[in-house]
Amino acid sequence: MKQSVFLTLCLLVTMSAKAVNYDSYYDNLPVNIQKPTAPVIPAYSVNIMDFGAVANGVTDNTECFAKAIGHLRKQGGGHLVVPAGIYLTGPITLRDNIDLHLERNAIIMATPDKNLHLPVSKDTGKREQRSTPFIKASKAKNISITGEGTIDGNGKWWRPVKRSKVSDTEWNQFRAMGGTISEKGDLWYPYGLKNFANITESAEEEIKLRMHMIRLTECERVLVSGVTLQNAPNFHLVPQRCNDVIIDGVTVRCPWNAQNGDAIDIGQCKRVLIVNNVIDAGDDGICMKGGVGQTARDYGPCEDILIQDNTVYHAHGGFVIGSDCSGGMKNIVVRKNTFSGTDTGLRFKSSVGRGGKTEGIFISDIFMNDIKDEAIVFETTYFDNHVGADASQKDQPKENLFLPDFGDIHISHVICRGAKTGIKASGAKGMVHDVTVENSTIFYTKQPTDIGPDCGVSVVNVNFQTF
């Protein structure tokens, strides 16, 4: 006990010495952006081992994390230190003024026992048919997740797999886990597994319960720094309607073919800084979401967001706005980022019923190579073709509410070596307008541009090259 107290005191000194001043990121911005306020964590620390945790990758540590966080809560907050080892656990709920700190070689892993991720009803005492995020916080203030360790969502036990996206060897590895093959033979579901009981009546119902790995809802002053996030059952890091968010030096990784494996999804947050992160994901890389419908519009936009010095390897898009945009997007600066091997580079996607207004979007100094499809793309008829989606709804007429409104978007100093199409835009009149692409070089393999007649995209001093 004395040794752990000494180590945690040393840790506090180290963490204080590494406090980062982010002011320099806000120099020479093309639009005025309010800076986020970092969380302040009390100088008190405990070690998860002092609450009975066993780091052997087998023992369930759910109650240990709950007790440690409960103890910190009574003290007014502090640092929960997780030393090296593998900690299998169910859901973790963060509270006000708490830092979850993972030391190097510490791995917090979601238990593959899906039942432990279903909340217990206070009325019946039985498990409910809904999952809870692996790590969550709601309406909390001053929370952080820091360190050099790893958070692993154990997603292979939750995610469906498309046969077309895996090799024979990989397909056989999934089949060896048990599971269920669709009638057409084109999908594997983690349902009917050899070592774990089902939690629903069908494979289709079970995949609807896939949880987000880290979901922070309506929180104030959030920091996620240094950690590795991997193998989420669904999205990896999802701040929703939060204010003052800093995401710095995080690594996000999952298989390239992981269904809905988004890395960072920012939903209607204000004052956000995303810097120095490395992403290799199965879906969108760094994505801005603005909600759907009137409720989202009433709440307001993603606003005052700076995204800089990040590297995105595989992703459906390096930087993405959409497809949910009803609340809008305002004052977003994306600069000095690298996209290497993404499906698309800069991706703007929405559809009727999901659309909303963008304003004050400035993107510059983007370096791309080996882009599978478009370097820059505007899509206004997006359909989310996830596993289980009703494809019959794809082309159904919709009421003309919440139309896509991509405008006041300014893109410059892009260098792209290798994309099928340089710039693509489609949409009815007024959906894509007042967009500028300037002073860039794009090496394409199929066509330089594919811009619809009703799309207002101005291309100035862009050097298109091909073989």
Side-chain angles (χ1 to χ4, degrees), residues 20-29 35 273 275-276 306 308-309 335-336:
V20 178
N21 186 329
Y22 293 102
D23 288 350
S24 62
Y25 286 99
Y26 289 84
D27 293 340
N28 302 315
L29 292 178
K35 304 172 187 175
L273 177 64
V275 290
N276 307 316
L306 175 57
Q308 181 174 321
D309 297 333
R335 63 182 185 179
K336 302 178 184 178

PDB file of all heavy atoms in Angstrom, residues 20-29 35 273 275-276 306 308-309 335-336:
ATOM      1  N   VAL A  20      -0.156  20.598 -20.846  1.00  0.00           N
ATOM      2  CA  VAL A  20       0.078  21.153 -22.172  1.00  0.00           C
ATOM      3  C   VAL A  20      -0.649  22.485 -22.311  1.00  0.00           C
ATOM      4  O   VAL A  20      -1.815  22.607 -21.921  1.00  0.00           O
ATOM      5  CB  VAL A  20      -0.390  20.169 -23.258  1.00  0.00           C
ATOM      6  CG1 VAL A  20      -0.190  20.768 -24.644  1.00  0.00           C
ATOM      7  CG2 VAL A  20       0.363  18.851 -23.134  1.00  0.00           C
ATOM      8  N   ASN A  21       0.036  23.455 -22.891  1.00  0.00           N
ATOM      9  CA  ASN A  21      -0.591  24.721 -23.246  1.00  0.00           C
ATOM     10  C   ASN A  21      -0.925  24.662 -24.739  1.00  0.00           C
ATOM     11  O   ASN A  21      -0.029  24.550 -25.579  1.00  0.00           O
ATOM     12  CB  ASN A  21       0.361  25.878 -22.947  1.00  0.00           C
ATOM     13  CG  ASN A  21      -0.298  27.223 -23.168  1.00  0.00           C
ATOM     14  OD1 ASN A  21      -1.178  27.384 -24.009  1.00  0.00           O
ATOM     15  ND2 ASN A  21       0.133  28.216 -22.403  1.00  0.00           N
ATOM     16  N   TYR A  22      -2.200  24.738 -25.061  1.00  0.00           N
ATOM     17  CA  TYR A  22      -2.648  24.570 -26.439  1.00  0.00           C
ATOM     18  C   TYR A  22      -2.840  25.895 -27.170  1.00  0.00           C
ATOM     19  O   TYR A  22      -3.333  25.912 -28.304  1.00  0.00           O
ATOM     20  CB  TYR A  22      -3.958  23.781 -26.458  1.00  0.00           C
ATOM     21  CG  TYR A  22      -3.809  22.345 -26.017  1.00  0.00           C
ATOM     22  CD1 TYR A  22      -4.187  21.945 -24.740  1.00  0.00           C
ATOM     23  CD2 TYR A  22      -3.300  21.384 -26.882  1.00  0.00           C
ATOM     24  CE1 TYR A  22      -4.052  20.623 -24.332  1.00  0.00           C
ATOM     25  CE2 TYR A  22      -3.156  20.063 -26.489  1.00  0.00           C
ATOM     26  CZ  TYR A  22      -3.537  19.685 -25.210  1.00  0.00           C
ATOM     27  OH  TYR A  22      -3.405  18.384 -24.811  1.00  0.00           O
ATOM     28  N   ASP A  23      -2.442  27.006 -26.569  1.00  0.00           N
ATOM     29  CA  ASP A  23      -2.724  28.307 -27.165  1.00  0.00           C
ATOM     30  C   ASP A  23      -2.114  28.464 -28.549  1.00  0.00           C
ATOM     31  O   ASP A  23      -2.704  29.103 -29.434  1.00  0.00           O
ATOM     32  CB  ASP A  23      -2.209  29.428 -26.252  1.00  0.00           C
ATOM     33  CG  ASP A  23      -3.042  29.589 -24.987  1.00  0.00           C
ATOM     34  OD1 ASP A  23      -4.127  28.969 -24.906  1.00  0.00           O
ATOM     35  OD2 ASP A  23      -2.605  30.319 -24.082  1.00  0.00           O
ATOM     36  N   SER A  24      -0.932  27.886 -28.773  1.00  0.00           N
ATOM     37  CA  SER A  24      -0.241  28.095 -30.051  1.00  0.00           C
ATOM     38  C   SER A  24      -1.014  27.515 -31.236  1.00  0.00           C
ATOM     39  O   SER A  24      -0.839  27.960 -32.378  1.00  0.00           O
ATOM     40  CB  SER A  24       1.162  27.483 -30.001  1.00  0.00           C
ATOM     41  OG  SER A  24       1.095  26.076 -29.803  1.00  0.00           O
ATOM     42  N   TYR A  25      -1.851  26.516 -30.984  1.00  0.00           N
ATOM     43  CA  TYR A  25      -2.652  25.951 -32.080  1.00  0.00           C
ATOM     44  C   TYR A  25      -3.622  26.978 -32.662  1.00  0.00           C
ATOM     45  O   TYR A  25      -4.094  26.828 -33.797  1.00  0.00           O
ATOM     46  CB  TYR A  25      -3.433  24.728 -31.602  1.00  0.00           C
ATOM     47  CG  TYR A  25      -2.572  23.503 -31.396  1.00  0.00           C
ATOM     48  CD1 TYR A  25      -2.131  23.139 -30.136  1.00  0.00           C
ATOM     49  CD2 TYR A  25      -2.204  22.699 -32.473  1.00  0.00           C
ATOM     50  CE1 TYR A  25      -1.339  22.015 -29.943  1.00  0.00           C
ATOM     51  CE2 TYR A  25      -1.413  21.569 -32.306  1.00  0.00           C
ATOM     52  CZ  TYR A  25      -0.986  21.237 -31.038  1.00  0.00           C
ATOM     53  OH  TYR A  25      -0.197  20.136 -30.849  1.00  0.00           O
ATOM     54  N   TYR A  26      -3.932  27.998 -31.901  1.00  0.00           N
ATOM     55  CA  TYR A  26      -4.959  28.947 -32.312  1.00  0.00           C
ATOM     56  C   TYR A  26      -4.368  30.193 -32.966  1.00  0.00           C
ATOM     57  O   TYR A  26      -5.080  31.172 -33.196  1.00  0.00           O
ATOM     58  CB  TYR A  26      -5.837  29.304 -31.108  1.00  0.00           C
ATOM     59  CG  TYR A  26      -6.708  28.136 -30.701  1.00  0.00           C
ATOM     60  CD1 TYR A  26      -6.208  27.137 -29.858  1.00  0.00           C
ATOM     61  CD2 TYR A  26      -7.991  27.988 -31.197  1.00  0.00           C
ATOM     62  CE1 TYR A  26      -6.974  26.039 -29.514  1.00  0.00           C
ATOM     63  CE2 TYR A  26      -8.768  26.899 -30.859  1.00  0.00           C
ATOM     64  CZ  TYR A  26      -8.259  25.921 -30.024  1.00  0.00           C
ATOM     65  OH  TYR A  26      -9.020  24.827 -29.688  1.00  0.00           O
ATOM     66  N   ASP A  27      -3.074  30.148 -33.295  1.00  0.00           N
ATOM     67  CA  ASP A  27      -2.452  31.250 -34.015  1.00  0.00           C
ATOM     68  C   ASP A  27      -2.847  31.225 -35.486  1.00  0.00           C
ATOM     69  O   ASP A  27      -2.953  30.154 -36.108  1.00  0.00           O
ATOM     70  CB  ASP A  27      -0.924  31.169 -33.905  1.00  0.00           C
ATOM     71  CG  ASP A  27      -0.429  31.400 -32.484  1.00  0.00           C
ATOM     72  OD1 ASP A  27      -1.188  31.979 -31.677  1.00  0.00           O
ATOM     73  OD2 ASP A  27       0.710  30.986 -32.181  1.00  0.00           O
ATOM     74  N   ASN A  28      -3.070  32.378 -36.060  1.00  0.00           N
ATOM     75  CA  ASN A  28      -3.276  32.551 -37.509  1.00  0.00           C
ATOM     76  C   ASN A  28      -4.439  31.716 -38.050  1.00  0.00           C
ATOM     77  O   ASN A  28      -4.346  31.103 -39.112  1.00  0.00           O
ATOM     78  CB  ASN A  28      -1.996  32.203 -38.273  1.00  0.00           C
ATOM     79  CG  ASN A  28      -0.817  33.040 -37.830  1.00  0.00           C
ATOM     80  OD1 ASN A  28      -0.928  34.252 -37.677  1.00  0.00           O
ATOM     81  ND2 ASN A  28       0.323  32.380 -37.602  1.00  0.00           N
ATOM     82  N   LEU A  29      -5.537  31.683 -37.337  1.00  0.00           N
ATOM     83  CA  LEU A  29      -6.715  30.968 -37.811  1.00  0.00           C
ATOM     84  C   LEU A  29      -7.499  31.829 -38.796  1.00  0.00           C
ATOM     85  O   LEU A  29      -7.556  33.059 -38.663  1.00  0.00           O
ATOM     86  CB  LEU A  29      -7.615  30.584 -36.638  1.00  0.00           C
ATOM     87  CG  LEU A  29      -7.078  29.524 -35.673  1.00  0.00           C
ATOM     88  CD1 LEU A  29      -8.064  29.305 -34.537  1.00  0.00           C
ATOM     89  CD2 LEU A  29      -6.799  28.224 -36.392  1.00  0.00           C
ATOM     90  N   LYS A  35     -11.470  28.763 -27.692  1.00  0.00           N
ATOM     91  CA  LYS A  35     -10.645  27.665 -27.214  1.00  0.00           C
ATOM     92  C   LYS A  35     -11.379  26.848 -26.153  1.00  0.00           C
ATOM     93  O   LYS A  35     -12.132  27.406 -25.356  1.00  0.00           O
ATOM     94  CB  LYS A  35      -9.344  28.207 -26.618  1.00  0.00           C
ATOM     95  CG  LYS A  35      -8.533  29.075 -27.544  1.00  0.00           C
ATOM     96  CD  LYS A  35      -7.366  29.717 -26.792  1.00  0.00           C
ATOM     97  CE  LYS A  35      -6.639  30.730 -27.657  1.00  0.00           C
ATOM     98  NZ  LYS A  35      -5.578  31.431 -26.900  1.00  0.00           N
ATOM     99  N   LEU A 273     -10.871  20.587 -29.604  1.00  0.00           N
ATOM    100  CA  LEU A 273      -9.531  20.549 -30.194  1.00  0.00           C
ATOM    101  C   LEU A 273      -9.135  19.091 -30.403  1.00  0.00           C
ATOM    102  O   LEU A 273      -9.136  18.300 -29.459  1.00  0.00           O
ATOM    103  CB  LEU A 273      -8.531  21.242 -29.274  1.00  0.00           C
ATOM    104  CG  LEU A 273      -7.067  21.232 -29.722  1.00  0.00           C
ATOM    105  CD1 LEU A 273      -6.882  22.002 -31.024  1.00  0.00           C
ATOM    106  CD2 LEU A 273      -6.162  21.802 -28.634  1.00  0.00           C
ATOM    107  N   VAL A 275      -5.986  17.003 -31.936  1.00  0.00           N
ATOM    108  CA  VAL A 275      -4.620  17.185 -32.427  1.00  0.00           C
ATOM    109  C   VAL A 275      -3.760  15.948 -32.151  1.00  0.00           C
ATOM    110  O   VAL A 275      -3.962  15.234 -31.163  1.00  0.00           O
ATOM    111  CB  VAL A 275      -3.949  18.411 -31.774  1.00  0.00           C
ATOM    112  CG1 VAL A 275      -4.582  19.691 -32.274  1.00  0.00           C
ATOM    113  CG2 VAL A 275      -4.003  18.352 -30.254  1.00  0.00           C
ATOM    114  N   ASN A 276      -2.819  15.699 -33.068  1.00  0.00           N
ATOM    115  CA  ASN A 276      -1.743  14.720 -32.857  1.00  0.00           C
ATOM    116  C   ASN A 276      -2.238  13.274 -32.730  1.00  0.00           C
ATOM    117  O   ASN A 276      -1.565  12.440 -32.119  1.00  0.00           O
ATOM    118  CB  ASN A 276      -0.927  15.081 -31.599  1.00  0.00           C
ATOM    119  CG  ASN A 276      -0.434  16.500 -31.618  1.00  0.00           C
ATOM    120  OD1 ASN A 276       0.062  16.981 -32.634  1.00  0.00           O
ATOM    121  ND2 ASN A 276      -0.596  17.216 -30.503  1.00  0.00           N
ATOM    122  N   LEU A 306     -11.277  22.809 -33.937  1.00  0.00           N
ATOM    123  CA  LEU A 306      -9.979  22.855 -34.610  1.00  0.00           C
ATOM    124  C   LEU A 306      -9.402  21.452 -34.675  1.00  0.00           C
ATOM    125  O   LEU A 306      -9.292  20.771 -33.658  1.00  0.00           O
ATOM    126  CB  LEU A 306      -9.023  23.783 -33.853  1.00  0.00           C
ATOM    127  CG  LEU A 306      -7.570  23.855 -34.376  1.00  0.00           C
ATOM    128  CD1 LEU A 306      -7.519  24.269 -35.836  1.00  0.00           C
ATOM    129  CD2 LEU A 306      -6.740  24.804 -33.518  1.00  0.00           C
ATOM    130  N   GLN A 308      -6.084  19.428 -36.220  1.00  0.00           N
ATOM    131  CA  GLN A 308      -4.757  19.735 -36.752  1.00  0.00           C
ATOM    132  C   GLN A 308      -3.749  18.639 -36.386  1.00  0.00           C
ATOM    133  O   GLN A 308      -3.832  18.026 -35.325  1.00  0.00           O
ATOM    134  CB  GLN A 308      -4.282  21.086 -36.190  1.00  0.00           C
ATOM    135  CG  GLN A 308      -2.921  21.530 -36.698  1.00  0.00           C
ATOM    136  CD  GLN A 308      -2.562  22.928 -36.243  1.00  0.00           C
ATOM    137  OE1 GLN A 308      -3.407  23.811 -36.202  1.00  0.00           O
ATOM    138  NE2 GLN A 308      -1.300  23.138 -35.895  1.00  0.00           N
ATOM    139  N   ASP A 309      -2.803  18.399 -37.303  1.00  0.00           N
ATOM    140  CA  ASP A 309      -1.649  17.520 -37.049  1.00  0.00           C
ATOM    141  C   ASP A 309      -2.064  16.086 -36.734  1.00  0.00           C
ATOM    142  O   ASP A 309      -1.465  15.420 -35.882  1.00  0.00           O
ATOM    143  CB  ASP A 309      -0.786  18.074 -35.904  1.00  0.00           C
ATOM    144  CG  ASP A 309      -0.172  19.425 -36.229  1.00  0.00           C
ATOM    145  OD1 ASP A 309       0.043  19.698 -37.428  1.00  0.00           O
ATOM    146  OD2 ASP A 309       0.080  20.215 -35.304  1.00  0.00           O
ATOM    147  N   ARG A 335      -6.615  21.633 -40.583  1.00  0.00           N
ATOM    148  CA  ARG A 335      -5.374  21.996 -41.261  1.00  0.00           C
ATOM    149  C   ARG A 335      -4.207  21.114 -40.814  1.00  0.00           C
ATOM    150  O   ARG A 335      -4.210  20.557 -39.718  1.00  0.00           O
ATOM    151  CB  ARG A 335      -5.041  23.470 -41.020  1.00  0.00           C
ATOM    152  CG  ARG A 335      -4.781  23.858 -39.576  1.00  0.00           C
ATOM    153  CD  ARG A 335      -4.507  25.348 -39.445  1.00  0.00           C
ATOM    154  NE  ARG A 335      -4.141  25.720 -38.091  1.00  0.00           N
ATOM    155  CZ  ARG A 335      -3.824  26.955 -37.713  1.00  0.00           C
ATOM    156  NH1 ARG A 335      -3.821  27.938 -38.607  1.00  0.00           N
ATOM    157  NH2 ARG A 335      -3.491  27.210 -36.461  1.00  0.00           N
ATOM    158  N   LYS A 336      -3.248  20.951 -41.741  1.00  0.00           N
ATOM    159  CA  LYS A 336      -2.011  20.229 -41.457  1.00  0.00           C
ATOM    160  C   LYS A 336      -2.276  18.786 -41.034  1.00  0.00           C
ATOM    161  O   LYS A 336      -1.766  18.310 -40.022  1.00  0.00           O
ATOM    162  CB  LYS A 336      -1.192  20.958 -40.391  1.00  0.00           C
ATOM    163  CG  LYS A 336      -0.813  22.388 -40.760  1.00  0.00           C
ATOM    164  CD  LYS A 336      -0.042  23.081 -39.657  1.00  0.00           C
ATOM    165  CE  LYS A 336       0.251  24.535 -40.005  1.00  0.00           C
ATOM    166  NZ  LYS A 336       0.957  25.248 -38.920  1.00  0.00           N
TER     167      LYS A 336
END
